[in-house]
Amino acid sequence: MICCGIICGCLISVFYMDNWQLPGSLALLVFVSSYFKLFSNVLAGFILGIFVTALHYQLFYQLSWKNLVVDKPVKITAQVTQIIKAGKRPYIQVDIKSIDKFQVKAWQHAYANLSTDSGNITLHEGDMVSGIAKLKTFRSRKNIYGFDKELYAFRNHVYFKGKLKVTYRIGDTNTLQDKYRHFVLSTFGAYKFGWFYYVLMTGDKTLIPQIEKERFRMLGLSHLLAISGLHIAIFFSLSFLLIKTVIYPFKNLISQSVNVHILGLVCALVLAGGYVVLSGMQVSAQRAWFMTFLGVLCYALGARVSYTRTLTYALTVILLISPFTLLNLGLYFSFAAVASILWLLTTPSSSDGFKISWVNKCVWFFKIQLLLFLVLSPLMVFAFQGVSLSGVIVNLIAIPLLSCAIFPALLAQGIVSVGYNVQLMDQIDHLTYLGYQWLTNLDYNWLEVGYISVTQTVLMMLILFMLGHALIRAYAVIPMVVLMVHKAVDTSPPWQINIFDVGHGSAILVQHQGKGFLYDLGANYFGTYSMFEQVILPYLRARDIQLVHTIVSHDDGDHAGGLPDLIKLSFGETLHAFHGTPYRQPCGLKEITFGQLTIRSIWPSERQNDDNNSSCVVIVDDGKHKLLLPGDIESVTENKLTAQYGKQLHADFLLAPHHGSRTSSSIPFVRAVGDKKTVIFSRSHNTAWQLPHQQILKRYLDAEYKIYDTALDGQIQIRVFSDHFEVYTARNAKNLWFLR
């Protein structure tokens, strides 16, 4: 009961430390424990969980001097931990040892992602460097369905980004873990599947190509890319067999008072612990090792502990060490998977499957894979908006192959490579890679399902949990009813406007009746990071939106950067209505029907003297509400539009022209749109152009506009109903207390 209280206390405090849920839960427990003394243990654990979370944050995450070293030149000493991008001006991650007069405490890590000017100094991972840096606190774009970089940075102690001029390189100071990773990379790097072997041996995912991550996800093999219970079990078992084999010739020399079996288990446990440490202490690996430790301890003491207690104790230990592991979705995958397996293996009929024949054992293995597919599907849909249809069958092959062939071969290759340069895995590598290539070419690997909310995911998991226990199975109808009611009351608006947070640039999606109209595509940075591919496309997939029309306001990179990606990903036909075939600028003047909406381009009638004033100006109208999208037009064009269209420019929602530049948003134009309206600035945080200009901001405030800003609010979502509209922002939706 105390462990349950600790788990609940950590969970509530991590997610709701400064919200009503924390005092509300505490008051409820105090009330219940006053009537039921058993719950006093839960209350004690709950309070301890809150204390652990607060203490852990203060000790390991809080840097009291963080705001004192930003936006000014500071002297920095740090260790290079990763070369993110090589080149003349490398982009690196460093582990800061000191900044200016401040020292990072021994038990803390403070990382920074820095663009470097190293001159003639060549940097390598493990180097200690010093120099002059100009830092900013880490902040990233925030979109509703996109990858949350700020949360990832918090979990990994990345506090800063900025620029570094290296003045001195001390040299290689690699840790044992770094040296181990370099050894593994040099040993397995030449194989076709070398990146996969590197992940299996080190847990380091930085070398995984993005396309391979997608392929593993579609095949249902993503769990192999995280050091999990499967890896620990294989390593522990192989270590135990190896130790028993080594000890066997000397068994007569060992005292009879020594239990050789327990000695082998303890040694294997120590070796598995070393593997966990070298592989980066991943949550799933910690869970597996703690459960193995409990198993060995119970075996040595002759005690029996139920699987529910084992899981509870393991989770409690992990949260006491680091409560913020609750932010890692892998924790929920790991514990849900292991709970499912242990539940199936402890059912009364399970023992029969292991006493009869190999056929029955194969049937039980298939049942385990089927159960894992069922239990983990809600989490898969929540994380990836779909499930792998081939995962059940593929894992029936992949797991035995990994356990019986690949992993033992990796260990053998690693041991041999310490003394000899011999390639032992050529044939296994070749056959495995051929099979992998064949699987990735199949068409039925992935099923797109669409987005489900956190509430819906929790309710689905609760239903599955209750159905698995005979005593409470009948009560599963309660969360089923709640789920149906939640789905019924979650009404969608007739149409919705999404202003994505794409930094300096713009990308606006109007969605209506399952279809989408896209205005602008955001930038593409260095040909490697496309806002269309990384921000807009995930939203289209998550909401199952069919993109029908696309307008590119003009050819500037911050608006049209994603054009090659749009065409490459088979959305080129969406340009035809306004840009013709082949694509050309400026857009054509026309009006089209989009369900119950009309989309009308009103400017330009011909190309102007510059790209900004050639921007395609668009009005989206449902008869009651209007959205005005003016691109980067400037005052001269605004005056022409005001003279030509007058009250037709009246709109409820306005995308601020030219991101709030003082060359735009003239007073006549702002008045023509109307007073007390909504304006959205699409821009980046700490932009070099200092947008929006203060004069422009005051102009909208004087006209009593409601102002939203993607740099401050993240993605902005306007849900338009027949008689009103509602505005939601990504930063409010993901407003965790430790990120504010």
Side-chain angles (χ1 to χ4, degrees):
M1 298 297 283
I2 292 175
C3 288
C4 289
I6 292 172
I7 293 169
C8 293
C10 290
L11 186 68
I12 294 293
S13 56
V14 165
F15 290 101
Y16 304 110
M17 178 68 84
D18 60 350
N19 290 332
W20 64 267
Q21 286 91 340
L22 183 81
S25 301
L26 187 60
L28 179 63
L29 275 176
V30 170
F31 175 77
V32 173
S33 61
S34 65
Y35 287 93
F36 303 97
K37 296 302 180 184
L38 183 65
F39 279 88
S40 60
N41 290 330
V42 179
L43 177 61
F46 188 85
I47 295 172
L48 178 59
I50 298 171
F51 174 76
V52 166
T53 301
L55 180 64
H56 191 86
Y57 178 74
Q58 290 294 328
L59 285 177
F60 298 102
Y61 288 93
Q62 184 73 5
L63 299 178
S64 58
W65 42 265
K66 182 173 68 173
N67 293 327
L68 301 177
V69 298
V70 297
D71 297 322
K72 64 179 183 180
V74 291
K75 184 178 180 180
I76 184 173
T77 302
Q79 182 181 23
V80 180
T81 57
Q82 184 183 349
I83 306 294
I84 300 173
K85 186 177 182 297
K88 292 184 178 179
R89 295 183 64 88
Y91 192 57
I92 64 174
Q93 184 176 94
V94 299
D95 186 1
I96 299 169
K97 305 304 179 183
S98 66
I99 298 182
D100 204 8
K101 60 182 179 180
F102 303 105
Q103 296 285 331
V104 179
K105 295 181 175 65
W107 59 84
Q108 287 183 327
H109 285 286
Y111 294 98
N113 294 341
L114 304 173
S115 171
T116 63
D117 178 6
S118 54
N120 295 324
I121 301 173
T122 302
L123 299 179
H124 303 91
E125 292 182 3
D127 288 349
M128 286 292 294
V129 297
S130 63
I132 303 299
K134 189 168 184 181
L135 306 175
K136 295 184 181 297
T137 53
F138 189 94
R139 187 183 178 93
S140 72
R141 295 173 295 273
K142 186 83 75 171
N143 290 283
I144 294 174
Y145 299 124
F147 178 67
D148 194 335
K149 287 187 177 180
E150 285 185 9
L151 186 59
Y152 180 82
F154 172 82
R155 282 170 35 207
N156 292 278
H157 302 272
V158 181
Y159 295 94
F160 307 102
K161 57 184 177 181
K163 297 179 180 179
L164 169 66
K165 183 175 178 59
V166 178
T167 57
Y168 184 67
R169 170 180 173 267
I170 298 173
D172 185 0
T173 56
N174 278 324
T175 63
L176 177 62
Q177 185 185 58
D178 295 326
K179 292 177 180 178
Y180 170 71
R181 288 180 174 180
H182 290 156
F183 167 74
V184 172
L185 186 60
S186 63
T187 302
F188 299 103
Y191 289 114
K192 293 178 181 178
F193 238 163
W195 65 266
F196 178 55
Y197 306 144
Y198 175 77
V199 173
L200 288 177
M201 296 299 288
T202 67
D204 181 14
K205 301 179 185 178
T206 56
L207 299 183
I208 306 177
Q210 184 61 37
I211 189 172
E212 301 297 353
K213 288 183 181 180
E214 287 296 312
R215 288 173 175 173
F216 266 62
R217 176 179 63 83
M218 295 180 71
L219 290 170
L221 296 176
S222 294
H223 62 96
L224 298 182
L225 300 180
I227 305 302
S228 64
L230 174 65
H231 304 76
I232 302 303
I234 296 171
F235 193 94
F236 177 80
S237 301
L238 292 174
S239 300
F240 177 69
L241 290 174
L242 179 63
I243 291 166
K244 289 292 293 276
T245 303
V246 171
I247 291 176
Y248 184 78
F250 308 99
K251 63 179 181 178
N252 294 329
L253 302 177
I254 300 175
S255 172
Q256 292 185 355
S257 62
V258 177
N259 189 320
V260 176
H261 200 67
I262 292 179
L263 177 63
L265 290 173
V266 171
C267 292
L269 186 67
V270 172
L271 290 175
Y275 175 55
V276 172
V277 172
L278 289 175
S279 61
M281 295 288 288
Q282 296 186 31
V283 174
S284 52
Q286 292 181 49
R287 184 268 308 153
W289 190 87
F290 283 127
M291 291 184 66
T292 307
F293 171 78
L294 287 173
V296 172
L297 182 62
C298 291
Y299 178 83
L301 298 176
R304 294 188 64 182
V305 179
S306 68
Y307 81 89
T308 52
R309 284 178 176 268
T310 304
L311 284 170
T312 303
Y313 295 156
L315 180 57
T316 301
V317 171
I318 288 172
L319 295 185
L320 287 175
I321 294 173
S322 178
F324 289 99
T325 53
L326 287 165
L327 300 171
N328 187 345
L329 195 57
L331 177 78
Y332 306 96
F333 275 102
S334 176
F335 275 87
V338 173
S340 303
I341 294 171
L342 294 179
W343 172 82
L344 183 62
L345 296 179
T346 53
T347 53
S349 59
S350 64
S351 57
D352 298 336
F354 293 95
K355 291 180 179 178
I356 303 174
S357 66
W358 281 101
V359 174
N360 292 76
K361 293 179 180 180
C362 291
V363 170
W364 273 100
F365 186 51
F366 177 75
K367 287 182 178 180
I368 288 174
Q369 294 303 320
L370 197 60
L371 180 63
L372 288 175
F373 174 80
L374 179 65
V375 172
L376 298 182
S377 286
L379 291 173
M380 285 288 292
V381 174
F382 173 74
F384 305 112
Q385 291 79 55
V387 292
S388 173
L389 294 178
S390 60
V392 176
I393 304 300
V394 171
N395 277 287
L396 288 175
I397 303 169
I399 292 177
L401 180 64
L402 180 69
S403 306
C404 302
I406 295 176
F407 216 104
L410 290 175
L411 294 179
Q413 177 72 79
I415 293 170
V416 170
S417 296
V418 173
Y420 304 96
N421 184 20
V422 179
Q423 301 295 315
L424 301 178
M425 294 182 56
D426 287 335
Q427 198 61 33
I428 291 177
D429 178 60
H430 177 68
L431 293 174
T432 303
Y433 192 74
L434 284 179
Y436 171 70
Q437 291 295 319
W438 178 77
L439 284 172
T440 55
N441 291 328
L442 299 178
D443 295 329
Y444 56 83
N445 286 324
W446 187 257
L447 174 66
E448 290 286 345
V449 176
Y451 169 76
I452 60 173
S453 66
V454 174
T455 303
Q456 291 169 334
T457 306
V458 171
L459 287 171
M460 289 178 186
M461 296 298 292
L462 183 60
I463 291 168
L464 292 171
F465 170 78
M466 297 178 76
L467 289 174
H469 292 74
L471 293 177
I472 58 175
R473 189 168 295 159
Y475 297 101
V477 69
I478 298 174
M480 287 180 186
V481 171
V482 174
L483 180 61
M484 289 187 290
V485 171
H486 183 272
K487 193 70 176 176
V489 300
D490 187 20
T491 55
S492 298
W495 62 294
Q496 185 169 292
I497 307 163
N498 297 282
I499 300 92
F500 294 106
D501 184 2
V502 293
H504 184 75
S506 65
I508 296 87
L509 176 72
V510 175
Q511 62 187 85
H512 174 54
Q513 297 177 347
K515 297 182 179 180
F517 156 62
L518 182 61
Y519 182 87
D520 280 343
L521 306 167
N524 185 320
Y525 294 103
F526 311 111
T528 59
Y529 191 91
S530 164
M531 289 297 172
F532 176 78
E533 194 169 1
Q534 301 296 327
V535 175
I536 302 168
L537 190 58
Y539 186 90
L540 293 173
R541 288 174 174 170
R543 302 303 299 186
D544 193 24
I545 296 170
Q546 177 190 357
L547 186 60
V548 178
H549 299 294
T550 300
I551 291 178
V552 180
S553 63
H554 59 300
D555 282 336
D556 281 1
D558 56 328
H559 297 257
L563 186 58
D565 304 287
L566 181 88
I567 296 170
K568 178 185 70 175
L569 294 165
S570 304
F571 294 102
E573 291 185 358
T574 64
L575 295 162
H576 294 173
F578 288 93
H579 292 284
T581 309
Y583 168 83
R584 59 183 178 272
Q585 282 282 7
C587 69
L589 298 186
K590 65 189 305 182
E591 179 177 315
I592 63 171
T593 301
F594 184 59
Q596 303 300 314
L597 309 178
T598 58
I599 302 172
R600 182 185 176 197
S601 55
I602 63 173
W603 181 270
S605 55
E606 58 183 20
R607 183 179 284 275
Q608 305 299 299
N609 292 330
D610 60 73
D611 277 347
N612 285 343
N613 285 310
S614 295
S615 294
C616 188
V617 180
V618 176
I619 295 175
V620 182
D621 187 2
D622 69 353
K624 292 185 178 179
H625 298 93
K626 279 186 182 180
L627 166 67
L628 179 58
L629 302 169
D632 279 356
I633 61 171
E634 298 176 343
S635 298
V636 61
T637 299
E638 291 175 348
N639 293 335
K640 292 178 181 178
L641 287 172
T642 303
Q644 183 175 349
Y645 291 100
K647 292 184 178 180
Q648 294 182 52
L649 295 179
H650 193 83
D652 301 274
F653 317 109
L654 169 67
L655 181 70
H658 206 179
H659 318 287
S661 168
R662 60 182 172 183
T663 61
S664 307
S665 298
S666 60
I667 293 176
F669 180 78
V670 171
R671 289 175 178 171
V673 174
D675 294 332
K676 300 182 180 179
K677 302 302 179 183
T678 300
V679 64
I680 303 100
F681 294 97
S682 182
R683 66 175 185 104
S684 63
H685 193 259
N686 287 325
T687 172
W689 297 277
Q690 298 297 309
L691 302 175
H693 195 275
Q694 290 302 309
Q695 178 183 345
I696 301 303
L697 199 58
K698 183 177 183 302
R699 193 169 294 168
Y700 283 109
L701 288 171
D702 290 343
E704 299 184 62
Y705 274 68
K706 178 68 175 176
I707 295 174
Y708 292 93
D709 187 337
T710 58
L712 304 177
D713 301 311
Q715 179 183 338
I716 298 158
Q717 194 174 80
I718 305 173
R719 302 176 185 179
V720 186
F721 296 87
S722 59
D723 56 350
H724 72 288
F725 65 89
E726 301 169 356
V727 181
Y728 296 85
T729 65
R731 289 200 179 272
N732 278 340
K734 302 180 178 181
N735 197 22
L736 296 169
W737 58 273
F738 45 81
L739 295 180
R740 292 172 192 158

